[in-house]
Amino acid sequence: MTTPKKICILGSGNWGSAIAKIVGSNVTKFDTFDNEVRMYVYEEMVDGRKLTEIINTTHENVKYLPGKKLPSNVVAIPDVVDAALDADVIIFVIPHQFIRKICQPLIGKLKPTTVGISLIKGFDLKEGGGIVLISHLIKEVVNIPVSVLMGANLAGEVAEEKFCETTIGCRDVEVGKMYRNLIQTDYFRVVVVDDVEAVEVCGALKNIVASGAGFVDGLGYGDNTKAAVIRLGLMEMIKFCEVFYPGSKLGTFFESCGVADLITTCYGGRNRRVAEAFVTSGKSIEELEKEMLNGQKLQGPYTAAEVNHMLKAKGMESRFPLFTAIHQICLGVIPPSGMIDCIRNHPEHMCSFDKQHTSVSGSHE
């Protein structure tokens, strides 16, 4: 008889807690999973009590997912090594800025058969002006195969069990089926594809575009203008994969991880909200992150900086004018009104005749 797989969730923000709610329930439905789900929780004090103590006694993450009960088999643990001890599956759902710090203690501590899945949206910088995917970074640090999950999944709506879809990028068919059993519910529909890099890139880049949508909202422009930002953003996302991750499939952009997540994030979510407030309040991104996000981390401006780090090093900023303008607005190099100039003069607005005669290789130039 196969030993039931032990599950660990690294992270307990609103998204991590929403996933813990699903996973905690699902493991009890299959003999293939151990019934206890360990969740690593960064320890902090809330109203004079440890957050782990509150979660383990009230079964509610009162700071990051208030009002939603977690299954009683989800156990909050403040030490990352203890949380991941003997885990067969690790679900990574922490801010991408903290990956190296949190994963470092796990080096050499995991079973050789352990697999991971990343729900983290962003990139990491590497020397020489490049960027690395978070799934690749996790694999590099802890030496386990890592799949990805990305989609139009606002944590609050998932926790409220409102129907939504998500995309898992996984090359191993059997492991993909296991992830589907672990995560899919009647309100959380999972599609598994093997285009792992494109799935992950979509999840990271859409946060940049959402910042652009927020700037447009802050400037008082309407849905027509925002639609232009979304369309041009999608074009740059596709081009980014064509240039840096050749072999990506166009169909992936029409899964939940692509156009659906992009639309959702440009109309809801923290990146859009903070970007709008950046325009209307005159405060810095850093100030607004502290004021508006209750300890959560913003991804859009940081991801824009990471992407620009590589584009600038490769002399390719002009090929991605929307990503570049959003980064420059976040830094204060150009005013938020520069968004309108960017979309008005975007090269995708050339007439089709001009495009056909600009380059025979299209976006590959």
Side-chain angles (χ1 to χ4, degrees), residues 10-13 40-44 63-64 80 92-106 118 120-125 134 137-138 141-142 270 289-290 293-299 302-303 306:
L10 290 190
S12 58
Y40 164 67
V41 176
Y42 176 77
E43 192 69 281
E44 50 190 313
K63 179 164 186 180
Y64 296 111
V80 67
F92 295 86
V93 58
I94 50 182
H96 78 276
Q97 299 95 318
F98 303 141
I99 283 291
R100 290 183 186 275
K101 179 180 178 182
I102 291 176
C103 287
Q104 202 72 28
L106 299 178
S118 171
I120 303 167
K121 298 175 177 179
F123 299 103
D124 192 63
L125 299 180
I134 296 300
L137 174 62
I138 295 171
V141 175
V142 296
R270 69 189 79 158
E289 183 180 52
K290 291 177 182 176
L293 299 187
N294 191 35
Q296 297 179 74
K297 290 298 178 182
L298 199 62
Q299 302 298 341
Y302 298 111
T303 304
E306 291 154 357

Side-chain angles (χ1 to χ4, degrees), residues 274-288:
V274 171
E276 180 181 22
F278 176 75
V279 178
T280 58
S281 70
K283 296 179 180 179
S284 71
I285 294 289
E286 292 76 14
E287 288 177 294
L288 293 167

Side-chain angles (χ1 to χ4, degrees), residues 27-338:
V27 294
T28 64
K29 301 174 184 177
F30 298 91
D31 294 336
T32 51
F33 299 119
D34 189 279
N35 276 6
E36 180 182 83
V37 175
R38 295 183 177 186
M39 180 171 69
Y40 164 67
V41 176
Y42 176 77
E43 192 69 281
E44 50 190 313
M45 302 301 291
V46 178
D47 296 330
R49 296 177 66 193
K50 292 180 179 179
L51 183 55
T52 53
E53 178 187 317
I54 295 172
I55 292 172
N56 288 333
T57 54
T58 68
H59 307 297
E60 179 183 347
N61 188 333
V62 294
K63 179 164 186 180
Y64 296 111
L65 198 68
K68 301 294 183 293
K69 288 294 183 181
L70 300 177
S72 59
N73 58 327
V74 175
V75 180
I77 297 176
D79 183 273
V80 67
V81 176
D82 289 345
L85 186 67
D86 294 328
D88 297 287
V89 179
I90 300 180
I91 300 171
F92 295 86
V93 58
I94 50 182
H96 78 276
Q97 299 95 318
F98 303 141
I99 283 291
R100 290 183 186 275
K101 179 180 178 182
I102 291 176
C103 287
Q104 202 72 28
L106 299 178
I107 295 175
K109 304 286 178 61
L110 303 179
K111 298 195 293 189
T113 54
T114 299
V115 297
I117 183 166
S118 171
L119 282 60
I120 303 167
K121 298 175 177 179
F123 299 103
D124 192 63
L125 299 180
K126 64 180 180 181
E127 294 181 9
I131 56 177
V132 60
L133 295 175
I134 296 300
S135 64
H136 293 184
L137 174 62
I138 295 171
K139 184 178 188 301
E140 174 190 313
V141 175
V142 296
N143 194 31
I144 62 173
V146 183
S147 302
V148 298
L149 180 151
M150 306 283 156
N153 309 139
L154 296 178
E157 294 186 13
V158 174
E160 290 172 1
E161 301 186 4
K162 295 178 179 178
F163 181 83
C164 65
E165 303 171 311
T166 199
T167 311
I168 289 178
C170 179
R171 290 194 175 89
D172 186 307
V173 174
E174 293 306 314
V175 172
K177 290 178 181 176
M178 181 270 294
Y179 284 137
R180 181 186 284 137
N181 288 340
L182 185 62
I183 294 170
Q184 182 162 268
T185 71
D186 59 355
Y187 63 87
F188 195 67
R189 180 177 176 270
V190 173
V191 173
V192 183
V193 301
D194 62 3
D195 195 8
V196 181
E197 282 76 18
V199 171
E200 185 168 4
V201 169
C202 283
L205 295 182
K206 59 93 184 182
N207 283 327
I208 303 177
V209 184
S211 295
F215 295 147
V216 165
D217 287 341
L219 290 166
Y221 286 82
D223 287 340
N224 292 337
T225 310
K226 188 187 288 190
V229 172
I230 293 171
R231 186 186 76 84
L232 294 170
L234 179 61
M235 296 294 289
E236 291 197 11
M237 288 166 60
I238 293 171
K239 180 186 286 188
F240 191 91
C241 281
E242 287 178 341
V243 173
F244 299 112
Y245 300 94
S248 298
K249 300 169 184 174
L250 185 61
T252 302
F253 294 90
F254 297 95
E255 296 291 348
S256 182
C257 63
V259 66
D261 196 10
L262 177 62
I263 293 169
T264 298
T265 311
C266 286
Y267 278 91
R270 69 189 79 158
N271 292 284
R272 191 215 62 79
R273 287 190 293 111
V274 171
E276 180 181 22
F278 176 75
V279 178
T280 58
S281 70
K283 296 179 180 179
S284 71
I285 294 289
E286 292 76 14
E287 288 177 294
L288 293 167
E289 183 180 52
K290 291 177 182 176
E291 288 181 15
M292 298 176 65
L293 299 187
N294 191 35
Q296 297 179 74
K297 290 298 178 182
L298 199 62
Q299 302 298 341
Y302 298 111
T303 304
E306 291 154 357
V307 167
N308 188 259
H309 173 75
M310 182 170 73
L311 295 180
K312 189 171 185 178
K314 295 181 179 296
M316 299 180 71
E317 287 176 295
S318 63
R319 291 187 64 183
F320 298 88
L322 187 70
F323 293 166
T324 300
I326 291 167
H327 171 62
Q328 291 175 336
I329 292 169
C330 289
L331 291 182
V333 174
I334 62 174
S337 58

